[in-house]
Amino acid sequence: MAADSVLKVLFELEGVFIHPSSEEGGSEQDSLISGCLRIVDKDADLLVEYRPLEDSDPSNMLCAGKDSSSVMEWDQCSGEKLLETQQSYETEWDMINAVSFKRRSVTNGEGSLNHSSERSRWAFSFSLSDLRCIRVKEQGWSFLLLQLSESCRSPPALHFHQGGSRDFLESLGRFAVISQAAGEEVCLMVSSPNRALSQSFENLLDENNFGLVNQKFRNDPYVTTLGGFSKVTNYIFDAFRGTEEQHQRPPEEVADLLGEVIPGLEINQQEEPGFEVITRMDLGVRPTVSRRDPVSSEEWSRHQDAEGRMINVPLLKQIIFKGGLCHAKRKEAWKFLLGYFPWESTVEERKVLHRAKTDEYFRMKLQWKSVSEPQERRNSKLRDYRSLIEKDVNRTDRTNRFYEGLDNPGLVLLHDILMTYCMYDFDLGYVQGMSDLLSPVLYVMENEVDAFWCFVSFMDQMHQNFEEQMQGMKTQLIQLSTLLRLLDLSFWNYLEAQDSGYLYFCFRWLLIRFKRELSFQDVLRLWEVMWTGLPCQNFHLLLCCAILDSEKQKIMEENYGFNEILKHINELSMKLDIEEVLQKAEGIGLQIKSCKDLPATISSILGWDPPAPPPAPPPAPLPALRTPQRGAACSSPLSRDSSAQNGCSPAFIS
């Protein structure tokens, strides 16, 4: 029965226009039809729907409180007057906290979209299996021409005046294979797999991921890497690998293939310059280490002097590394761990710094708040940043009380901080995954300004992960592979034989520091431990090694291949015990550090001093007629080469 039909909205975008005059053959575009474009799952059939909308309801508003420094000072109202809860320094910046409009989202069936009979004639719906081709056009904005199978009438052109065409194509890519037509840059060919394959695809690609199959035609493909690679299935991998005759590929071709999937991460088969070939070494017995309780408020206070300076900081960092922090002290301690507040600053100095940083923050926020709609239409970069931020914010940690529900003020702060960061670092702007890094910081700070500057400090550490060339990700994957070869050469050889030696399945771990692998509270504990900088540089790589060490037996005993390894690693999400992982990672670090004749490469990766060079042999006696010049031996090219070969080369460069 129709009443029993099940409708699931998979994608929804309002503000998509049809130009009636153009469709009817006229030249004047004196009237526009605004509507809602959706992809829905209706009774196990995927449909693309378009329904015209009536004008928006101005009573449905989300209002920002006067003082935007704290989530608790935001309020929702339906009238024009804002409720003031307190006055503070930030009230000088009230002009920035303008009321923002937000339409009610459609959550029910087709009946939820009210429209007049005159406008309703522009509504259409078709099955995704009937879609054959999408032509992408530009006319100051993007519009799409959808071509259906011969038995169906193609719908009118869809105009995306407010952006969103890329989001629509990305969502289509989750349920259909989209490829670029040969010889045409703007024509995308669509082929839909059967329903079973589509369902399998959908289950493996959660809402936080973009489809791998549509990356080749994206202008900014690198932003889609978050989580995508860890979700690879046989179906997707085969789509890249081609026919059955092509499936048996040598390792170098597989490496090229993976480089296409994650642009910028092409890794040469030959050893990178400056990297040593690690052979089997005896690391000795791994020491047993213990953890302790979190640092309490009383312990924290004992490390402050009368003026608020932090004292005995090395010991404080050590106990934070060993046990983390009680939640009550995180708001204060994270500012020091992230470098927002100097450890040696007094309470009064921190107040002055906070006031200056508040001024600086709201000036940057004003820059994007004051951009008019016509200006934004002429600034494609800012428009794209905003579109991507709005999409990601609406799906970031929505099960957390701090971000759950409709019109949540925490989401507004998340959005505003990310938009302001685009003003702070416009060249980088916003890349998918940054919302994952900001979310826990804002949750702890509960303050817009403090959260922003702590996030800036965190991004200073993570910046290379999100750059277009992704040099930081490439370097970390090589370093991790080097460490794993030292720790367990047989396991690394097994992974290499399964085309997994480059450890791409660890990509998401490294990109956002295990944010999606652990519960929210475990992420807080892990990050504060890592921010101590102990016990070595790149401790997060030892965490990866610890997890892989725990899983290697199952992977090898079950004889997992490429796809099985990816699937198994992905399914570890939310199943890891953070205390066990931290304990094992620390033990691995101590085991490596105690190793005699540790390769200089490993010492460099972990930030330890390179091993001392062997003593130089006594110089040969010089002929009586020659007078040696002071420093000549040290300045000759031969001596420099010899020093490098004896282990005196600079720290490796990747």
Side-chain angles (χ1 to χ4, degrees):
M1 296 176 61
D4 298 326
S5 63
V6 178
L7 181 68
K8 179 181 178 183
V9 178
L10 306 174
F11 169 84
E12 184 173 73
L13 178 67
E14 296 180 3
V16 180
F17 292 83
I18 292 176
H19 295 182
S21 299
S22 298
E23 297 299 328
E24 294 170 350
S27 58
E28 295 294 329
Q29 298 182 6
D30 53 356
S31 63
L32 301 177
I33 301 296
S34 175
C36 178
L37 180 64
R38 300 193 298 175
I39 303 175
V40 299
D41 185 337
K42 185 175 183 181
D43 297 331
D45 187 19
L46 291 174
L47 304 176
V48 177
E49 294 184 343
Y50 179 85
R51 295 289 181 271
L53 295 173
E54 293 294 337
D55 292 336
S56 57
D57 178 6
S59 68
N60 184 24
M61 308 286 271
L62 176 64
C63 301
K66 287 282 188 181
D67 182 356
S68 67
S69 68
S70 172
V71 175
M72 304 308 295
E73 294 152 10
W74 290 66
D75 186 42
Q76 297 181 27
C77 60
S78 56
E80 296 181 358
K81 187 176 181 180
L82 295 173
L83 302 178
E84 292 190 40
T85 57
Q86 70 177 67
Q87 293 292 324
S88 78
Y89 174 64
E90 282 82 3
T91 58
E92 299 173 17
W93 293 96
D94 286 344
M95 70 182 79
I96 300 175
N97 301 316
V99 176
S100 59
F101 177 78
K102 181 177 177 64
R103 279 191 60 102
R104 288 190 179 93
S105 59
V106 180
T107 57
N108 300 324
E110 300 173 14
S112 299
L113 297 175
N114 299 319
H115 44 77
S116 66
S117 57
E118 180 180 350
R119 297 165 66 89
S120 65
R121 69 190 184 95
W122 295 103
F124 63 81
S125 175
F126 61 83
S127 174
L128 186 58
S129 60
D130 291 325
L131 182 59
R132 294 291 177 265
C133 174
I134 303 174
R135 295 187 179 276
V136 184
K137 303 286 186 179
E138 294 290 337
Q139 188 176 310
W141 59 85
S142 296
F143 66 96
L144 304 181
L145 300 171
L146 309 180
Q147 181 178 331
L148 306 185
S149 59
E150 295 181 358
S151 59
C152 304
R153 179 183 176 183
S154 294
L158 299 177
H159 296 256
F160 295 79
H161 293 268
Q162 301 171 4
S165 60
R166 179 181 295 181
D167 298 340
F168 174 61
L169 293 174
E170 288 167 354
S171 296
L172 281 181
R174 294 177 59 194
F175 313 106
V177 179
I178 303 180
S179 58
Q180 183 175 315
E184 291 196 58
E185 295 184 359
V186 293
C187 182
L188 309 175
M189 305 305 295
V190 182
S191 60
S192 300
N194 60 44
R195 181 59 186 163
L197 284 176
S198 292
Q199 191 64 49
S200 174
F201 195 15
E202 180 184 355
N203 290 340
L204 282 157
L205 290 177
D206 62 30
E207 66 175 358
N208 296 306
N209 298 301
F210 301 121
L212 293 176
V213 293
N214 66 349
Q215 291 184 9
K216 291 189 176 182
F217 65 84
R218 290 176 52 84
N219 291 330
D220 298 310
Y222 74 102
V223 302
T224 69
T225 57
L226 177 66
F229 201 83
S230 64
K231 301 283 188 176
V232 173
T233 65
N234 283 314
Y235 167 59
I236 306 172
F237 193 60
D238 290 347
F240 279 106
R241 291 196 296 179
T243 63
E244 188 66 32
E245 294 78 19
Q246 298 172 316
H247 282 187
Q248 300 302 321
R249 290 184 175 221
E252 62 272 13
E253 290 189 29
V254 174
D256 292 340
L257 174 71
L258 302 184
E260 294 176 10
V261 176
I262 305 180
L265 284 181
E266 298 84 352
I267 299 177
N268 297 330
Q269 287 298 112
Q270 301 297 323
E271 290 295 323
E272 292 284 323
F275 285 79
E276 301 176 40
V277 177
I278 305 299
T279 57
R280 190 182 302 275
M281 297 183 64
D282 181 13
L283 296 177
V285 178
R286 183 174 301 166
T288 301
V289 298
S290 59
R291 304 278 299 159
R292 53 154 283 168
D293 293 333
V295 176
S296 64
S297 298
E298 293 75 17
E299 264 187 304
W300 178 266
S301 298
R302 287 199 296 269
H303 284 80
Q304 282 186 316
D305 66 14
E307 294 183 315
R309 297 182 186 87
M310 305 307 299
I311 57 178
N312 205 350
V313 174
L315 176 60
L316 180 58
K317 287 184 177 181
Q318 179 64 32
I319 60 178
I320 294 174
F321 171 76
K322 280 291 191 178
L325 293 153
C326 68
H327 189 70
K329 299 312 298 179
R330 280 179 172 143
K331 184 182 297 187
E332 181 179 358
W334 280 24
K335 297 171 188 175
F336 292 97
L337 289 170
L338 284 167
Y340 173 33
F341 286 165
W343 292 97
E344 67 279 5
S345 62
T346 65
V347 171
E348 290 304 316
E349 288 170 343
R350 293 196 287 272
K351 287 181 180 178
V352 173
L353 176 62
H354 182 267
R355 184 180 180 91
K357 289 296 187 182
T358 299
D359 270 339
E360 187 176 354
Y361 172 77
F362 280 109
R363 285 192 181 95
M364 289 186 290
K365 184 174 180 178
L366 180 60
Q367 291 174 357
W368 66 267
K369 277 281 191 179
S370 60
V371 172
S372 65
E373 290 186 9
Q375 283 179 301
E376 189 166 316
R377 283 198 295 269
R378 295 188 294 270
N379 190 331
S380 61
K381 205 167 186 180
L382 180 62
R383 191 170 63 244
D384 289 345
Y385 289 158
R386 185 192 295 272
S387 174
L388 193 55
I389 287 171
E390 290 174 350
K391 178 177 62 176
D392 280 1
V393 162
N394 284 326
R395 60 193 185 189
T396 298
D397 292 324
R398 297 308 301 276
T399 58
N400 186 299
R401 175 191 57 81
F402 194 82
Y403 299 109
E404 68 183 359
L406 298 175
D407 296 338
N408 187 299
L411 297 180
V412 178
L413 288 179
L414 202 66
H415 169 275
D416 286 4
I417 292 172
L418 291 171
M419 284 296 299
T420 306
Y421 186 80
C422 291
M423 298 295 104
Y424 175 83
D425 189 347
F426 200 80
D427 287 342
L428 180 63
Y430 178 79
V431 181
Q432 190 195 20
M434 291 168 135
S435 63
D436 282 282
L437 298 183
L438 172 60
S439 169
V441 175
L442 177 58
Y443 171 85
V444 168
M445 292 298 141
E446 296 180 304
N447 179 291
E448 184 175 5
V449 174
D450 290 341
F452 173 81
W453 290 111
C454 286
F455 176 66
V456 165
S457 298
F458 194 12
M459 281 302 301
D460 287 344
Q461 304 174 26
M462 306 292 290
H463 199 282
Q464 279 195 315
N465 284 13
F466 297 95
E467 293 171 359
E468 187 166 1
Q469 298 304 316
M470 304 191 80
Q471 184 59 43
M473 291 302 300
K474 174 181 175 181
T475 298
Q476 289 176 86
L477 287 168
I478 296 175
Q479 291 174 335
L480 179 56
S481 181
T482 304
L483 288 171
L484 192 60
R485 273 185 283 181
L486 173 73
L487 291 168
D488 196 326
L489 187 58
S490 62
F491 181 45
W492 186 87
N493 285 334
Y494 176 85
L495 295 175
E496 179 75 2
Q498 306 302 324
D499 301 329
S500 301
Y502 294 128
L503 309 180
Y504 281 120
F505 48 79
C506 299
F507 187 87
R508 190 171 65 182
W509 298 358
L510 301 172
L511 185 69
I512 52 174
R513 292 297 192 267
F514 304 95
K515 169 61 168 56
R516 297 196 187 175
E517 319 312 317
L518 302 167
S519 68
F520 199 85
Q521 292 301 318
D522 283 351
V523 169
L524 305 184
R525 170 74 71 246
L526 174 65
W527 285 5
E528 64 199 12
V529 166
M530 290 195 300
W531 291 337
T532 64
L534 299 174
C536 62
Q537 176 181 293
N538 289 323
F539 181 61
H540 64 285
L541 298 180
L542 296 183
L543 293 167
C544 296
C545 291
I547 298 172
L548 294 175
D549 183 73
S550 298
E551 301 302 320
K552 68 181 180 182
Q553 184 175 355
K554 183 174 181 62
I555 290 173
M556 296 176 73
E557 286 183 353
E558 299 291 334
N559 197 29
Y560 283 166
F562 181 90
N563 292 284
E564 290 81 10
I565 294 172
L566 289 170
K567 186 174 185 293
H568 176 74
I569 294 299
N570 183 68
E571 290 175 348
L572 295 176
S573 179
M574 302 302 160
K575 298 177 183 177
L576 299 171
D577 185 318
I578 186 57
E579 291 299 324
E580 288 184 6
V581 173
L582 284 168
Q583 197 168 340
K584 177 173 281 192
E586 183 183 357
I588 290 174
L590 293 174
Q591 182 185 22
I592 294 176
K593 192 169 187 178
S594 63
C595 176
K596 296 180 180 179
D597 302 321
L598 190 65
T601 299
I602 301 298
S603 297
S604 179
I605 291 173
L606 299 179
W608 293 327
D609 293 333
L622 296 173
L625 295 179
R626 293 182 57 187
T627 302
Q629 298 178 2
R630 184 182 299 272
C634 297
S635 62
S636 70
L638 177 59
S639 295
R640 287 198 296 271
D641 292 343
S642 301
S643 298
Q645 293 170 6
N646 288 330
C648 298
S649 58
F652 91 5
I653 301 173
S654 60

